[in-house]
Amino acid sequence: DSGVTQTPKHLITATGQRVTLRCSPRSGDLSVYWYQQSLDQGLQFLIQYYNGEERAKGNILERFSAQQFPDLHSELNLSSLELGDSALYFCASSSGTGLAQFFGPGTRLTVL
Amino acid sequence: AQSVTQLDSQVPVFEEAPVELRCNYSSSVSVYLFWYVQYPNQGLQLLLKYLSGSTLVKGINGFEAEFNKSQTSFHLRKPSVHISDTAEYFCAVSDNNDYKLSFGAGTTVTVRA
């Protein structure tokens, strides 16, 4: 158990819908990272937050957004969902930038 | 920007035999290197990391890796594998300009009795 929690574990929805994925980092970790894992793209970095502020952005679609709240939990919002958004979404946390990241169990999103 | 190449997509190996998983990276600045393992239907677990210092890094479950700056490699080794080591292994790199992890495509290790 990494100490990073993610909810829900599974999510099934339809095209065009909007969903919110939630992540709670390890106690004391200030950095939260979001990654997408799909069969065709592999593991891709989406976005990083540090202590409530956006720190780095990867190949994140404009339909996707995230935020980190004062209690340091983070949410990833995915809207206007397409079939190709079906993937595993992982959250990771670290105590600072540049240090080892610890991953949550992931949310499996299926878009029908 | 950095990138990672895992040279083997699948590695079959017999129980109690040694295994080596190859990883090469490219980056224009100093790097931090990691190996993660993903068991079926689970998240990623950190096996080991290289941040600085000794180039031979020991991790959990008997794994070790060696950082070779001249060859830009970070190969993972285990001298004797168990059935329970069957999993997918990911090499990842970050640097001190951009701390996001860039992952290789993964190597699937299948351990047979």
Side-chain angles (χ1 to χ4, degrees):
Chain A
D1 184 359
S2 68
V4 179
T5 60
Q6 290 186 248
T7 57
K9 195 167 183 178
H10 300 279
L11 201 47
I12 301 174
T13 188
T15 54
Q17 295 298 304
R18 173 190 166 93
V19 297
T20 297
L21 313 183
R22 183 188 168 102
C23 167
S24 292
R26 293 187 317 161
S27 177
D29 282 358
L30 299 178
S31 274
V32 169
Y33 307 77
W34 286 97
Y35 293 86
Q36 180 193 60
Q37 185 179 34
S38 62
L39 283 174
D40 53 343
Q41 301 275 356
L43 272 158
Q44 299 279 326
F45 167 73
L46 294 178
I47 197 163
Q48 178 204 358
Y49 279 80
Y50 178 80
N51 203 18
E53 293 190 6
E54 183 184 303
R55 182 61 68 92
K57 232 174 183 177
N59 297 325
I60 187 167
L61 299 171
E62 284 193 15
R63 301 183 285 109
F64 295 1
S65 64
Q67 56 185 132
Q68 186 179 26
F69 295 86
D71 67 351
L72 300 177
H73 91 270
S74 178
E75 292 181 356
L76 179 67
N77 300 296
L78 315 176
S79 61
S80 304
L81 285 167
E82 302 174 0
L83 295 177
D85 297 328
S86 295
L88 258 173
Y89 291 84
F90 287 108
C91 167
S93 74
S94 70
S95 55
T97 51
L99 302 177
Q101 296 176 27
F102 294 87
F103 282 73
T107 294
R108 183 172 293 279
L109 173 66
T110 303
V111 182
L112 301 175
Chain B
Q2 63 278 84
S3 66
V4 178
T5 303
Q6 291 185 242
L7 296 156
D8 308 291
S9 59
Q10 308 227 9
V11 173
V13 58
F14 285 106
E15 195 175 18
E16 297 183 10
V19 71
E20 178 180 78
L21 308 184
R22 297 179 293 168
C23 172
N24 285 92
Y25 67 91
S26 66
S27 176
S28 56
V29 297
S30 296
V31 295
Y32 307 118
L33 294 154
F34 307 85
W35 276 98
Y36 285 86
V37 60
Q38 186 176 28
Y39 299 103
N41 300 312
Q42 293 189 28
L44 284 84
Q45 181 181 3
L46 180 66
L47 275 178
L48 48 78
K49 60 183 184 287
Y50 171 79
L51 304 180
S52 64
S54 173
T55 57
L56 183 62
V57 180
K58 294 195 182 297
I60 62 171
N61 301 340
F63 285 93
E64 64 180 31
E66 186 153 20
F67 170 57
N68 187 319
K69 188 174 181 179
S70 62
Q71 300 196 1
T72 60
S73 68
F74 190 55
H75 301 333
L76 180 72
R77 301 184 185 98
K78 185 169 182 178
S80 176
V81 296
H82 302 127
I83 298 287
S84 59
D85 292 321
T86 294
E88 189 156 21
Y89 293 78
F90 293 94
C91 181
V93 62
S94 68
D95 63 41
N96 54 11
N97 283 339
D98 183 350
Y99 295 111
K100 68 176 176 67
L101 288 174
S102 296
F103 285 90
T107 297
T108 301
V109 173
T110 305
V111 182
R112 298 190 176 107

